[in-house]
Amino acid sequence: MPLVLPTEPHDDWLNPNLAGEGDLLAEALSASEDLSRSMVIVGGNNS
């Protein structure tokens, strides 16, 4: 599953001038948890 982010951290996550360090990754993963858990996979082949 791709990383799904709420709109608030988009600017930091997509900023090419911001170093992609562990703190940024931890914040992005934390922000995505609830949103990712609420998603439902529809269609596709689930064999």
Side-chain angles (χ1 to χ4, degrees):
M1 174 182 239
L3 179 64
V4 181
L5 291 175
T7 55
E8 294 84 19
H10 280 186
D11 288 341
D12 286 342
W13 185 254
L14 298 174
N15 184 346
N17 298 315
L18 190 61
E21 297 176 353
D23 288 344
L24 179 62
L25 179 57
E27 290 174 21
L29 290 174
S30 177
S32 74
E33 282 185 37
D34 289 338
L35 185 57
S36 295
R37 287 187 182 131
S38 70
M39 297 180 80
V40 176
I41 297 173
V42 177
N45 184 357
N46 296 326
S47 331

